[in-house]
Each structure stands twice: as structure tokens, then as C-alpha cells.
Amino acid sequence: MELISNLFLKELKLKTAGEVGLDALDDGATISIGDKTLVLTTDSHTVKPLFFPGGDIGRLAVAGTVNDLAVMGARPLAMSCAIVVEEGFPTEDLRKITQSIDATAREAGTPLITGDFKVMERGALDGAVITTTGVGLAETLVTDRGLKPGDKIIITGDIGAHGMTILAHREGIAVDVDLGSDVAPIWETVEAALKVGGVTAMKDPTRGGIAAALNEMASKARVGIVLMEADIPVSEATRSIGEMLGIDPFQITNEGKAIISADSKKCDELLAAIRKTKYGKHACIIGEVVKNHPGDVLLETVIGGRRLLESPIGDPAPRIC
Ligand code: MG
């Protein structure tokens, strides 16, 4: 994060093409064309291993981009994809990854219309890196900083499954049949919420989990957030792997979830609409936005105390997305 503000944001001078530019450090940025708002986003994927329970790097690359567009309120229109592999990379694996990219793109209704493929010498790269860029059209632009005191915080399903699955798989811990990555394109879920109205801010809780995403949202909006620990959905499998590895499910990557800040008057209706969608069945309200302690996320714990929920320091789980 420090490199981003001290190097990139300083050195790059031309960084705005619409309402939201590079400085906003949001999930994507906007391009204004007449009265239309396009959203552009890009992400490189370096997950290790390339294939994991519940998904692979191909599905991850497509879902990651589609979801970054979705949480800006943008319907995904099209994608580009650049694949870099090292010499000797198995053709069969490349085929499987490509088929997975295709299946996920079709599920998301987002065509892959341009791409690039490069090979690097053996040892220059650990396997494969995939970069996807997506463009979407926002009828209602949503940023990650629009939270207002009184809003309710909704999560679209149980948290921590992606990160915990990857870590468990890497450590050779037998992954429970119930545990697998949540990686999925969630535009349909987000669209259902947008149709109801009352969405004030959104973010997909990827790197650093809901802890990082909510802290970022709170500090950008200069509001506080209070979460009810008992209301935050964590599966038994995620919880037990987390305990085994000493990793907090609140601080680990999700790849098929959105955090939605919603006007309290609309939130029941929103929740009902989200729950009707494939990836929103277990959505719930996990907390609220408050005026007090701006920038801080407080957790009302199951045993009744309150503690600060902080963003993870450094990167406790590299190569996870
Ligand atoms: Mg994002």
C-alpha cells in the first residue's frame, strides 16, 4: 500500500478520465463518454496452486474482474485477458485453464474479446500469471466511500472460504468436502441489489478479507462501523481450518462476495432481493455505519465485549489471488 501511494500515485501524473480516477484507489475507475459512465478495472492473478478445490486461476481471473466492475455498479460488457506461462508449461493445463475462463465468462455473460499470450524462459515465472481487464457500463455508479451513518452493512454470503481453501490445500491439510473456494462472478447478485435501490457503497472483500475492505470503506467515508460478530457468517469448515492455521477468517480473501452498505429503510427489501440470486442465498446484515470513531471498525464480540477489527498487517497469505 505504501508503494502504491509513495511510488505509483506520485509518479503517474495523468490519472483521471471521469468521476473516479486512480487516486480514489477504488475497485475500478470511470471513463465519462457523454452522459454514459464506463468503468475500467484490471488485475493480475498469481494464485498458487493454479488448481484448487472450487476453482482455478482461470475462473479466478474472470470472476475477479467481473466482480470489481460489479461493485462499482457496472454491468460487465467485455474483457481482455493476457496469459504468461513459463516454458514447458503443460498444454493440457493451459487447455483446462482456458476452458475454465470460457465457462466463467459465459456464466457471467461477459465475452472475452481480446487477449495476449507470452512464454517466458523456464524458472522466470512460477507457472502462469493471468491479467484480466474488464470494461462495464454503470447506470448507477457506486463507489466504496459512500457509506452514511445509519446504513446497514450487508455481506452476500459466508466469508473466508477462498483464502482458507488455498492455504489448507497448500499446507496439505485435507480439505473438508464442505470447504472450497467461493470464487464466482457475482454481477447477478449485485444487480438484484441495485434494482431495489438504496445501495450507498460496495466493495468486494478480496485481499485482507472483510477486515481490510471495511477499514478502507470506513476511513474513506470518515465514518465508523460496528459489526456484530455473531451475525457474520463463517462456515464450520472455514472456522476450523482458520483455527488450525492461526488465520482469522475476517482477514482472508473472498472471491465471490460483496459488502454492500445500504440505506436502513431499504435494507430488508434489498436483502430479500439478494437472497433470491444464486450467489446471494446466505446474505445477511452484519453491522451498521455510525458517526462515532471515524475510520474504525469495531466488533461486538460473541461474549459481549468490543474490540477493534484491524486490517491484517503486511501480507500474511501471499499468492492467494
Ligand atoms: Mg476489488
Side-chain angles (χ1 to χ4, degrees), residues 136-175:
L137 181 65
E139 270 163 39
T140 339
L141 179 67
V142 181
T143 65
D144 58 5
R145 64 189 61 206
L147 310 91
K148 307 260 181 309
D151 286 355
K152 300 288 183 197
I153 301 289
I154 294 171
I155 183 84
T156 56
D158 70 287
I159 58 153
H162 176 77
M164 231 46 109
T165 298
I166 303 280
L167 290 181
H169 196 59
R170 243 190 248 166
E171 297 292 320
I173 297 170
V175 174

Side-chain angles (χ1 to χ4, degrees), residues 16-21 24 29-32 37 141 143:
T16 309
E19 197 180 323
V20 181
T30 62
I31 305 169
S32 300
T37 300
L141 179 67
T143 65

Side-chain angles (χ1 to χ4, degrees), residues 27 43 68 71 203-204 206:
D27 298 285
D43 231 316
D68 274 337
V71 293
K203 196 159 193 68
D204 57 338
T206 51

Side-chain angles (χ1 to χ4, degrees), residues 12-37:
L12 298 166
K13 309 289 193 291
L14 206 56
K15 47 194 169 191
T16 309
E19 197 180 323
V20 181
L22 187 65
D23 278 322
L25 299 178
D26 208 323
D27 298 285
T30 62
I31 305 169
S32 300
I33 302 176
D35 60 348
K36 297 259 188 293
T37 300

Side-chain angles (χ1 to χ4, degrees), residues 45 52-71 76 79 100-101 103-110 156-158 161-163 180-190 204-206 253-258 277-281 321:
H45 301 270
F52 47 83
D56 56 65
I57 191 170
R59 182 167 176 80
L60 187 67
V62 174
T65 284
V66 166
N67 297 348
D68 274 337
L69 293 174
V71 293
M79 263 180 320
S100 171
I101 288 175
T104 314
R106 280 189 285 124
E107 182 185 354
T110 313
T156 56
D158 70 287
H162 176 77
S181 168
D182 63 338
V183 59
I186 57 164
W187 166 246
E188 186 210 4
T189 298
V190 168
D204 57 338
T206 51
T253 311
N254 305 271
E255 291 293 341
K257 299 291 166 346
T277 66
K278 183 173 179 189
Y279 296 116
K281 288 193 182 74
C321 54

